[in-house]
Amino acid sequence: KIVNRSFTPRTIAELEDPTRELAAALLDGHLDREPFDFTTEVAMPLPMQVIGDLLGAPREHHRDLLQWSNEVVATTDPEYLAGRGDDTQLIAGVMLAQLFVELRQAEFAGGRGERGDIVSVLASAEIDGEVLEDVRYALYMLLLATAGNETTRNAMSHGLWAFAEFPEQWDRLRADRSLLPSAVDEVLRWSSPLLYFRRNAIVSMTVADAEIEPGDTVSLWYASANFDEQVFDEPRRFDIGRTPNSHVTFGGGGPHYCLGASLARL
């Protein structure tokens, strides 16, 4: 509730022009038409640059934000952790937390809540008359920095792949820009950038003939739901004009619906 105004469709719409500029700058570096890795050169840095601006992190720290947020969620990913030691994740988490606390301290020193970015909003926020303690604040910033980074990167990369696989859909989009909103949602459905989420059952229930008891671990497979034949007509068809498109990429609604849905669509 403290930061939800930072993620409303109206607020996010104000980010469209600067986001276009960031995306164009990344792509302009490859106008020589030589092959390049779209994921590492565009899909990885763009979300972190946008999120970094939204958080209020100076742009000289955006590269650090990208590196540390990659490492903190890498778990056993050899691309990020090979040869770096078992404490890579811990160090990355500490470095992120330290950066966020420093940004907050600078905000306190300069006057709380004046800029309007998320660090500023959190610095001026109070719960039951008390400001957020450093640990709670740093963990929340860590969540924002990592949650919107990896998922958006996955969606962008899979979206490019989908258009390469189905060039007729790319031609269709170029011919009719009014299809952009539905195309974005189809990319989100098709890519399912978050494959699954785990929940712990607290009550007995029956779901699709499966008996679930309190204490059971339940995996919610978004990738399966987004290709459900009972919900989607020809789910294996990539269709940028698909309507309705009741994908669950942002959750199924309710308290666990993605706070950053509008930002992700942008």
Side-chain angles (χ1 to χ4, degrees):
K1 291 182 179 179
I2 294 173
V3 300
N4 60 6
R5 289 185 181 179
S6 300
F7 293 94
T8 63
R10 177 179 295 181
T11 302
I12 296 303
E14 297 174 0
L15 299 176
E16 181 167 345
D17 287 344
T19 301
R20 285 184 180 276
E21 292 175 7
L22 290 170
L26 291 170
L27 292 169
D28 283 351
H30 300 283
L31 293 179
D32 57 8
R33 295 184 177 272
E34 289 296 316
F36 70 97
D37 188 328
F38 176 83
T39 297
T40 57
E41 298 294 320
V42 179
M44 285 176 64
L46 180 59
M48 199 69 260
Q49 290 175 350
V50 174
I51 292 170
D53 284 348
L54 196 63
L55 295 179
R59 288 197 170 179
E60 61 265 26
H61 288 302
H62 285 188
R63 186 178 295 274
D64 292 332
L65 280 173
L66 178 59
Q67 176 186 334
W68 294 332
S69 63
N70 283 340
E71 292 173 351
V72 84
V73 299
T75 312
T76 57
D77 190 332
E79 184 174 357
Y80 295 110
L81 302 183
R84 301 193 191 187
D86 296 335
D87 55 357
T88 299
Q89 275 186 289
L90 176 61
I91 293 173
V94 170
M95 296 299 289
L96 279 173
Q98 181 175 321
L99 172 61
F100 295 143
V101 170
E102 288 175 356
L103 292 175
R104 188 191 199 195
Q105 290 171 342
E107 183 67 22
F108 279 135
R112 291 166 55 189
E114 295 181 355
R115 294 197 313 270
D117 54 56
I118 289 179
V119 168
S120 179
V121 170
L122 289 174
S124 62
E126 293 184 355
I127 298 178
D128 297 329
E130 299 288 339
V131 297
L132 291 173
E133 62 268 25
D134 280 349
V135 171
R136 190 173 184 184
Y137 155 80
L139 288 173
Y140 188 73
M141 291 287 286
L142 185 64
L143 173 66
L144 290 177
T146 55
N149 173 19
E150 188 180 30
T151 50
T152 312
R153 169 201 317 172
N154 293 345
M156 290 173 64
S157 300
H158 279 267
L160 186 72
W161 189 358
F163 281 118
E165 268 196 296
F166 304 98
E168 75 284 355
Q169 295 297 310
W170 178 246
D171 293 338
R172 182 184 176 193
L173 181 59
R174 294 190 67 186
D176 183 1
R177 284 300 190 90
S178 70
L179 289 170
L180 268 173
S182 60
V184 167
D185 273 306
E186 182 68 345
V187 166
L188 289 164
R189 180 190 76 88
W190 187 263
S191 62
S192 292
L194 186 66
L195 297 179
Y196 71 94
F197 217 104
R198 199 197 79 179
R199 294 288 181 218
N200 300 323
I202 58 174
V203 298
S204 299
M205 65 180 66
T206 303
V207 179
D209 298 326
E211 299 294 334
I212 298 174
E213 298 297 333
D216 285 352
T217 298
V218 181
S219 289
L220 311 174
W221 282 89
Y222 297 118
S224 176
N226 280 342
F227 288 84
D228 187 347
E229 294 87 351
Q230 298 181 38
V231 177
F232 300 99
D233 181 36
E234 297 184 65
R236 297 289 175 182
R237 175 170 52 89
F238 181 66
D239 177 9
I240 64 168
R242 183 182 295 277
T243 50
N245 192 343
S246 304
H247 65 81
V248 296
T249 300
F250 297 124
H256 291 291
Y257 192 77
C258 177
L259 175 68
S262 295
L263 180 62
R265 285 189 167 96
L266 174 62

